[in-house]
């Protein structure tokens, strides 16, 4: 807060004017967040965790309710670094951006069947899922909810790196390289390989949540109709997906094929 005020006022003005600054922080939530971050960093010391951060944003108006930039600002080695505003790899938190772009462009729909199997990409890139398992054909909802890497990479291929970078900028992410640069990123961009501030990532989630949100079911016709009506009521994309049995296994079939 003080750093922001110093952009407008001098040190002397701040010291003598007696400004009263009102923020959107919820004091009780802030205290809880600070304690939680400190405890979690301590609990993860065995895994060489050295710092942590947290931010909570009101989805209705974008107000910051809690912001913890470091587990302990007095730590002389790791404490004086604001992880919320610093650039770090977001990991799978970047996946919704790519899915949102794919839905916005209708590159995929909620009924698109995505493969989750062992694949070798260009450059002999052989990614795996976090648990080393593959699940076969999956819908976007399951792929995203379970943070599956292979389907995300396939969606990344469809959307394109340059298109994803441009879209991320519209969501408020400013730290990514310009797509005009020669090969700024590879497909691993969708897995969070690029560095992004947690603050920008948090605000972009508010925007992608308005794009991603869908219901897909394969029950009886009446349930389909009920859920489709509910989806329309909330302005959520909806897609019927057929299911049939082949060799004793349930197989998904999207309207695309």
């Amino acid at each position: 807060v003080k750093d922001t005020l110093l952009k407008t006022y001098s040190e002397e003005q701040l010291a003598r004017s007696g400004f009263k600054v009102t923020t959107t922080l919820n004091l009780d939530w802030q205290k809880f967040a600070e304690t939680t971050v400190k405890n979690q960093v301590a609990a993860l010391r065995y895994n060489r965790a050295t710092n942590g951060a947290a931010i909570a944003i009101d989805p209705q108006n974008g107000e910051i309710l809690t912001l913890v930039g470091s587990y302990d600002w007095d730590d002389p080695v790791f404490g004086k670094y604001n992880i919320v505003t610093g650039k770090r790899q977001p990991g799978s938190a970047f996946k919704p951006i790519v899915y949102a772009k794919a839905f916005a462009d209708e590159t995929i729909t909620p009924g698109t069947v995505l493969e989750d199997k062992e694949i070798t990409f260009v450059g002999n890139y052989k990614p795996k899922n976090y648990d080393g398992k593959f699940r076969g054909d999956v819908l976007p909802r399951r792929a995203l909810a379970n943070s599956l890497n292979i389907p995300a990479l396939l969606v990344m291929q469809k959307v394109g790196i340059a298109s994803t970078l441009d879209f991320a900028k519209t969501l408020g992410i400013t730290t990514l390289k310009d797509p005009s640069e020669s090969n700024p990123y590879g497909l691993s961009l969708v897995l969070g390989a690029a560095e992004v501030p947690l603050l920008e990532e948090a605000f972009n989630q508010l925007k992608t949540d308005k794009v991603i949100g869908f219901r897909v079911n394969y029950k009886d016709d009446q349930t389909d109709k009920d859920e489709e009506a509910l989806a329309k009521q909330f302005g959520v994309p909806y897609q019927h997906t057929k299911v049939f049995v082949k060799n004793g296994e349930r197989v998904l079939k999207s309207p695309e094929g």
Side-chain angles (χ1 to χ4, degrees):
V1 173
K2 184 177 179 181
D3 288 342
T4 300
L5 290 173
L6 284 173
K7 294 177 181 179
T8 306
Y9 306 100
S10 67
E11 286 272 9
E12 183 178 355
Q13 285 178 301
L14 289 183
R16 296 187 178 186
S17 298
F19 290 133
K20 183 179 290 186
V21 180
T22 301
T23 73
T24 59
L25 295 179
N26 181 307
L27 185 58
D28 291 336
W29 289 22
Q30 180 68 22
K31 291 178 179 178
F32 175 79
E34 290 175 0
T35 300
T36 300
V37 169
K38 183 170 289 189
N39 290 343
Q40 286 299 309
V41 171
L44 293 171
R45 289 290 188 192
Y46 76 95
N47 204 26
R48 297 185 295 177
T50 58
N51 207 346
I55 183 172
I57 300 175
D58 188 331
Q60 300 299 321
N61 52 34
E63 292 181 347
I64 296 176
L65 303 178
T66 67
L67 194 156
V68 183
S70 171
Y71 90 102
D72 183 0
W73 200 253
D74 293 326
D75 183 323
V77 180
F78 302 105
K80 290 180 173 54
Y81 177 75
N82 191 338
I83 299 177
V84 172
T85 56
K87 294 191 294 184
R88 309 282 292 181
Q89 290 185 337
S92 292
F94 198 85
K95 288 175 182 174
I97 296 176
V98 180
Y99 277 90
K101 177 60 175 172
F103 285 126
D105 292 347
E106 298 185 352
T107 302
I108 64 171
T109 73
T112 299
V113 176
L114 302 171
E115 293 180 317
D116 183 33
K117 64 181 183 181
E118 187 172 5
I119 297 177
T120 301
F121 293 92
V122 175
N124 201 33
Y125 179 39
K126 299 179 180 179
K128 296 182 179 180
N129 291 315
Y130 66 94
D131 58 1
K133 299 178 181 178
F134 301 103
R135 293 159 178 79
D137 290 344
V138 296
L139 295 175
R141 180 175 64 176
R142 185 185 182 193
L144 188 55
N146 289 275
S147 193
L148 301 180
N149 291 337
I150 310 304
L153 288 161
L154 292 173
V155 174
M156 178 82 250
Q157 273 191 326
K158 293 175 180 287
V159 172
I161 294 172
S163 182
T164 298
L165 293 174
D166 287 337
F167 183 66
K169 287 183 178 180
T170 68
L171 298 177
I173 295 180
T174 63
T175 57
L176 298 175
K177 296 179 181 178
D178 192 279
S180 63
E181 296 182 34
S182 179
N183 298 321
Y185 303 104
L187 288 177
S188 60
L189 174 66
V190 71
L191 306 183
E195 294 183 335
V196 175
L198 177 59
L199 181 63
E200 293 185 0
E201 180 71 19
F203 274 110
N204 111 72
Q205 291 299 328
L206 297 181
K207 298 179 180 179
T208 55
D209 283 347
K210 296 178 181 179
V211 179
I212 298 180
F214 47 86
R215 294 170 175 268
V216 180
N217 81 55
Y218 24 80
K219 300 178 183 177
D220 57 273
D221 290 340
Q222 184 57 48
T223 305
D224 275 341
K225 293 177 182 178
D226 292 343
E227 290 204 355
E228 184 171 12
L230 186 63
K232 288 180 179 179
Q233 178 183 341
F234 288 97
V236 174
Y238 183 92
Q239 183 78 63
H240 290 284
T241 301
K242 298 179 181 178
V243 174
F244 61 95
V245 176
K246 181 178 181 181
N247 297 328
E249 295 184 3
R250 192 179 71 175
V251 181
L252 299 174
K253 183 177 178 62
S254 73
E256 288 98 333

